[in-house]
Amino acid sequence: MRPEEQPASPSLPWRTSSVFTMAAVGLLSRGFLYGLSRTETHGLDGFLKLLDERKDVEGRQRGLVTVSNHVSVLDDPMIWGTLPIRYLFNPDNLRWGLGSYDLCFTNKVLSTFFNLGQVLPTHRSLHSRFGGLFQPTVAQAIRLLSQGPFYSNDSATKANKSFKSPDLSDPFTNGHLTFSTNGTDTFPSPSAYLSRRHSWVHIFPEGKVHQQEDHTMRYFKWGVSRLILESEPCPDVVPMWIEGPQEVMHESREFPRFLPRPLRDVSITFGEKLDVEKVFGDLRARWKRLHQRDVGSGPEGKPEMGVLSSALKYADEAVELRKECTMLIRNAVLNVRRQRGWPDEDPKGGLVETYREEGARKTEGQMKDGSWIKDT
Ligand SMILES: *[C@@H]1O[C@H](CO)[C@@H](O)[C@H](O)[C@H]1NC(C)=O
Ligand SMILES: *[C@@H]1O[C@H](CO)[C@@H](O)[C@H](O)[C@H]1NC(C)=O
Ligand SMILES: *[C@@H]1O[C@H](CO)[C@@H](O)[C@H](O)[C@H]1NC(C)=O
């Protein structure tokens, strides 16, 4: 659709509620980090400069992907409490996250809260047959990061001045203003609005909380590579390293488990923005060639952004590109980890095989290697 056919932004009540939700959570996080913990940041100034450049939505040239290790159930939202207060009131310049469908979207109240808090409903393969890296939510994330237009044929969604925003998951299925994660549920489609162009998406590619004495990471799932390979143009990428929240919410904690522990050291490091042309340019060019070949041979029209043919999902070359891309992203996070003074990890740490045995039997609690896993 042409830009002028896209609704500019969600309704005023929705935007107001979202500002309120994001700010309340942000202020609580900030209060906890600077009132009840000993918190230090590294590289924050550079990151804030990037956010400042992105403040004007119209002027943005590209999306932003931040990617980090995942050490506690409270990482998100806690880590965003490091942003100064004035940033916390501007959801258009704050992150979209991916939250577990089976934890965050189980009822109307939670679902509304997380929608307003810019969290996308994400199915986990372990818990749902709708999970995996081709679920509709990943397409939403790709569109959020992109410039648009997203749809090849959109006569259904022509601009309509009196159009009513389907904010609160009304069963309202006009055009692309809502989307479904499982074929029957309905969520407001965040990427439908112009104000969401070139958004910021944060992702924890480990997919679950990993608490390990030596601060190693699990292998990265490949969803993150779709965000980098398929978003148009290539988003900025900022790798991050998180330490300390595992002490705030250690998986071995006892009663009261839901209470974050105060007076711990927390350290949040924002790495340098990657030179995405240099790091991902070649992979993206290969992906484009693959995509063009596939689209050229398809039945009709251009596919919707973020929707792939089965060839593009499963062909060896497509899989290979995702693997390589994911490894580059993991290395970028490892670089930030190294800056924090941690010695290089055992190279096996990045491989799926290392975790296969564990995954087959036990999904939470303490693993044989001493690490603590929380399946969120
Ligand atoms: C585009 O939409 C129109 C009207 O809904 C429909 O008649 C036409 O077949 C569609 N074209 C494609 C390529 O899907
Ligand atoms: C515009 O939206 C209103 C309310 O959603 C609807 O009643 C009306 O039919 C729409 N007009 C067009 C031309 O689609
Ligand atoms: C989709 O999710 C909704 C809400 O969780 C649920 O009621 C519905 O049964 C699900 N549909 C399928 C096909 O699983």
Side-chain angles (χ1 to χ4, degrees):
M1 75 181 108
R2 292 198 301 277
E4 64 271 21
E5 290 169 345
Q6 246 176 306
S9 59
S11 66
L12 183 63
W14 172 272
R15 277 180 287 149
T16 313
S17 314
S18 185
V19 168
F20 182 80
T21 307
M22 296 292 278
V25 171
L27 290 174
L28 270 176
S29 303
R30 195 169 169 80
F32 184 80
L33 286 182
Y34 293 100
L36 291 173
S37 316
R38 289 178 297 263
T39 299
E40 57 173 37
T41 58
H42 305 272
L44 179 63
D45 289 347
F47 188 68
L48 293 180
K49 192 165 149 266
L50 180 61
L51 289 188
D52 291 341
E53 286 163 13
R54 296 173 46 79
K55 196 164 168 204
D56 167 29
V57 179
E58 305 260 307
R60 280 181 203 164
Q61 300 298 316
R62 50 182 77 235
L64 167 63
V65 174
T66 50
V67 42
S68 71
N69 57 329
H70 196 7
V71 297
S72 89
V73 288
L74 285 185
D75 288 355
D76 191 314
M78 194 189 339
I79 56 177
W80 309 123
T82 54
L83 303 178
I85 288 171
R86 67 179 185 284
Y87 292 83
L88 303 176
F89 285 82
N90 183 9
D92 282 347
N93 205 14
L94 290 171
R95 68 95 191 91
W96 285 82
L98 301 167
S100 305
Y101 190 92
D102 51 300
L103 298 176
C104 306
F105 295 87
T106 48
N107 63 50
K108 185 97 185 168
V109 174
L110 278 179
S111 185
T112 302
F113 174 75
F114 283 102
N115 276 326
L116 290 168
Q118 299 192 168
V119 174
L120 301 168
T122 314
H123 290 277
R124 304 180 291 164
S125 301
L126 204 57
H127 300 266
S128 160
R129 68 194 165 92
F130 300 104
L133 78 163
F134 304 116
Q135 58 184 300
T137 291
V138 177
Q140 285 294 325
I142 291 170
R143 291 174 197 169
L144 278 171
L145 289 164
S146 300
Q147 150 107 51
F150 306 131
Y151 313 104
S152 49
N153 186 10
D154 237 310
S155 42
T157 334
K158 289 272 189 290
N160 179 348
K161 288 273 155 53
S162 56
F163 135 86
K164 183 171 158 297
S165 182
D167 289 337
L168 295 159
S169 352
D170 295 345
F172 184 106
T173 46
N174 183 9
H176 293 280
L177 296 170
T178 59
F179 79 107
S180 178
T181 69
N182 71 4
T184 51
D185 59 4
T186 311
F187 289 92
S189 171
S191 65
Y193 303 96
L194 277 177
S195 64
R196 300 316 186 18
R197 239 179 356 182
H198 296 142
S199 288
W200 164 16
V201 174
H202 181 80
I203 186 162
F204 297 104
E206 289 173 280
K208 48 176 82 173
V209 169
H210 185 56
Q211 300 180 338
Q212 171 70 295
E213 283 296 316
D214 58 6
H215 295 251
T216 50
M217 289 188 291
R218 291 171 60 83
Y219 70 95
F220 276 16
K221 296 184 173 185
W222 299 346
V224 63
S225 69
R226 288 200 63 201
L227 304 186
I228 311 279
L229 291 172
E230 296 176 46
S231 299
E232 201 57 57
C234 185
D236 279 326
V237 178
V238 174
M240 296 175 59
W241 182 252
I242 303 173
E243 264 172 64
Q246 59 266 61
E247 304 308 323
V248 176
M249 288 303 262
H250 198 276
E251 284 309 316
S252 66
R253 70 193 182 277
E254 297 190 339
F255 181 84
R257 270 187 75 82
F258 57 89
L259 268 196
R261 304 304 198 250
L263 307 177
R264 306 296 153 100
D265 293 316
V266 174
S267 161
I268 311 292
T269 305
F270 297 84
E272 300 256 340
K273 179 174 92 173
L274 302 184
D275 180 347
V276 288
E277 259 323 299
K278 197 165 131 216
V279 182
F280 303 112
D282 172 51
L283 291 179
R284 279 176 56 91
R286 280 163 59 198
W287 171 262
K288 262 195 192 112
R289 280 200 295 277
L290 203 61
H291 196 263
Q292 266 153 12
R293 217 184 306 150
D294 183 75
V295 170
S297 67
E300 99 248 357
K302 212 171 128 235
E304 293 182 357
M305 183 159 213
V307 178
L308 299 179
S309 67
S310 60
L312 286 175
K313 286 180 186 167
Y314 307 115
D316 290 346
E317 194 182 347
V319 171
E320 196 48 47
L321 280 173
R322 281 186 205 110
K323 256 191 200 172
E324 274 183 53
C325 183
T326 304
M327 214 29 119
L328 291 177
I329 296 161
R330 194 170 186 279
N331 286 341
V333 177
L334 285 177
N335 277 339
V336 186
R337 177 180 180 272
R338 205 171 290 123
Q339 283 168 32
R340 297 309 312 141
W342 296 100
D344 288 346
E345 59 169 17
D346 181 338
K348 284 205 302 296
L351 303 178
V352 183
E353 290 74 21
T354 311
Y355 298 90
R356 199 156 271 163
E357 191 194 353
E358 149 222 296
R361 277 169 225 161
K362 199 171 170 188
T363 58
E364 279 196 355
Q366 190 165 27
M367 300 293 149
K368 268 194 237 148
D369 66 356
S371 65
W372 288 83
I373 300 289
K374 173 70 180 173
D375 195 12
T376 58

